[in-house]
Amino acid sequence: MEIGYKLAAEAFGPAELVRQAVLAEQAGFDFVEISDHFHPWLDNQGHSPFAWTVLGSIAAKTTSIGLATGVTCPTVRYHPAVIAQAAATLALLSEGRFVLGVGSGERLNEHVVGRGFPDAVSTRHEMLREALEIIRLLWSGGYRSYEGKHLRLEDARVFDLPEQLPLIAVAASGQVSTRIAAELGDALFATEDKPEIVQSYRAAGGIGPRYAEVPMAWAPDEHTAARAALETSRWAVTGWKVMSELPNPVNFDAATTTVREQDILEKFACGPDPARYTDTAQKFVDAGFDRIVMQNAGPDPDGFIDFYRRELDGPLRRLRPKTAGS
């Protein structure tokens, strides 16, 4: 079991994210994971720095903690050749501590470059498959070209390649995406505690680590924690079909006006009780995940990191699957 800390790039500026990553290393987290967004989910979150610059700074200011994108879409806003180069560079600068998390993306971030965002999920999956083939091709060395249905590569080479290439963790929620993760990735990434995601990944031949984000909000009392999550993270209760389709923060604001504090409490571990956090994480462990990312939506990141160090590190590492589905 490895435990990660989610760097909420939509809620904090770049220098603050680097500071939190340093604290996370000191507190004993195994890795930090950062979202790769152009926009925040909601305007009141107020931030969205360039994830790759932040990761480079973290690599320079830490020595042991792992780094991961959670996740990058390598098909529209970025060409996969750029991501192949960026990931290879970060792997070198971090001395092998980087994991490239990838997914099919959200309209929120990808439409900004004016190339459109495919309406059909099947098209997004086709593009993700082609992007991963291009990344793998460039990581094999030499000058490479590729002619796909959606993406092309012309006579390109990544010159600086690490001896040990980064793992690729592919975000998945259904059979098509889990098959892509098994066939072209090294690991699985998910945000739901559904055993069928891991089962489908394994059925497709996937044998790598399984990453999952666990929703939580720390504060000295449950109400304060839940209110903070409601203000900044209520989008998380809408489900992936909604999250991938809406184009701007204002749309997420409109789509979540009916979300209640009770809805947050049903999804998030809130407040000061360690058992709430281990119980929520246990659902993901039972579903078959072995890389647990603590996604804190509370108002006090320093307080949460200290709470993790004092109360959660040991209990979380002792979690083991309780169900046959894991």
Side-chain angles (χ1 to χ4, degrees), residues 9-11 37-49 108-109 232 235 247-250 252:
E10 303 85 2
H37 279 207
F38 193 86
H39 289 148
W41 297 101
L42 299 170
D43 277 333
N44 66 359
Q45 290 182 289
H47 296 278
S48 199
L108 174 72
N109 304 300
T232 63
W235 48 268
N248 285 302
V250 65
F252 280 94

Side-chain angles (χ1 to χ4, degrees), residues 213-269:
E213 295 180 344
V214 180
M216 58 192 57
W218 183 86
D221 65 273
E222 182 181 81
H223 174 71
T224 300
R227 288 299 305 177
L230 182 66
E231 285 297 314
T232 63
S233 302
R234 60 185 182 273
W235 48 268
V237 306
T238 62
W240 188 249
K241 289 185 178 180
V242 174
M243 290 166 61
S244 64
E245 296 296 344
L246 299 182
N248 285 302
V250 65
N251 305 110
F252 280 94
D253 189 26
T256 56
T257 55
T258 61
V259 177
R260 307 162 302 162
E261 185 174 327
Q262 183 60 38
D263 299 319
I264 295 295
L265 289 169
E266 290 174 1
K267 186 177 179 67
F268 287 70

